[in-house]
Amino acid sequence: MNQYIPTPQNQRAKRIATALFAAAMLLFALSGIRALPYRSVPQLLSFALLTAAIAVCVRYLYRGYCYRIDASEDGPELVVLEISKRGSTAVCRLSMAALLALEPWSRKLAEKKRTPKNLKIYNYCVDVNPTDAYLLTFADSTYSPSETPICIIIQCNDEFRALLEGFLVN
């Protein structure tokens, strides 16, 4: 198995989007009360909440990811594809020879990694705050030359994790 397509494990994104939409509609209805001064303030807040709800829907509900190990002339590489109704697009391509660490993801681990280096961590999970996510740390890559390592968060099962562990640099 050289690829894995995660499926959403929880309903957090749906709940967040629903709550944001409901709050936006409530504020919009509240702005219709004529006796209320500054009716434009609830309307502006409503539009901000609608924007946030649409962003959550687009990011977590209308997109998915596929993690694939491909062979290339430089050796095997991890390719992350973003899947939508229009097709798929490669959003990340990293050499597996540069894989330094594979760790279970947690917020504490992310903060520990970010603190000394001001490191950017790319999130390619299909869930909001997933429990089965892993933080992959890659060394400098030919695709993205820099001094700091490259970190990505992916959501995968034990079988794909074992495949990734086979590429760890000792």
Side-chain angles (χ1 to χ4, degrees):
M1 178 177 123
N2 287 339
Q3 80 173 14
Y4 179 70
I5 301 173
T7 56
Q9 302 295 322
N10 60 43
Q11 300 293 319
R12 286 186 188 131
K14 287 181 183 176
R15 289 182 191 141
I16 290 170
T18 303
L20 288 171
F21 274 123
M25 291 301 113
L26 181 69
L27 282 172
F28 197 67
L30 184 67
S31 70
I33 299 173
R34 291 188 187 266
L36 186 67
Y38 305 111
R39 293 187 310 173
S40 62
V41 173
Q43 287 178 352
L44 288 173
L45 289 175
S46 174
F47 286 125
L49 289 175
L50 278 174
T51 303
I54 290 169
V56 168
C57 286
V58 168
R59 167 62 177 88
Y60 291 105
L61 300 178
Y62 302 145
R63 289 186 188 159
Y65 291 100
C66 173
Y67 316 123
R68 193 167 64 197
I69 306 289
D70 282 345
S72 71
E73 50 192 49
D74 297 332
E77 58 188 16
L78 174 69
V79 179
V80 179
L81 298 171
E82 184 180 78
I83 302 168
S84 66
K85 291 186 179 186
R86 288 182 275 153
S88 62
T89 306
V91 292
C92 179
R93 185 179 299 266
L94 295 166
S95 173
M96 291 305 290
L99 181 62
L100 298 175
L102 173 67
E103 305 165 279
W105 179 81
S106 69
R107 289 199 186 275
K108 288 181 183 178
L109 176 66
E111 288 304 317
K112 186 176 96 174
K113 290 265 187 186
R114 253 189 218 126
T115 303
K117 304 172 197 122
N118 199 13
L119 183 67
K120 177 120 172 94
I121 299 175
Y122 299 94
N123 185 351
Y124 299 116
C125 295
V126 295
D127 281 329
V128 177
N129 197 17
T131 57
D132 58 345
Y134 293 92
L135 180 72
L136 282 69
T137 306
F138 290 86
D140 184 22
S141 170
T142 57
Y143 304 111
S144 174
S146 67
E147 295 295 322
T148 59
I150 300 162
C151 292
I152 64 171
I153 303 170
I154 65 169
Q155 221 175 320
C156 63
N157 61 5
D158 292 335
E159 192 176 331
F160 194 74
R161 182 186 49 79
L163 177 66
L164 291 172
E165 284 176 344
F167 291 103
L168 282 173
V169 175
N170 295 328

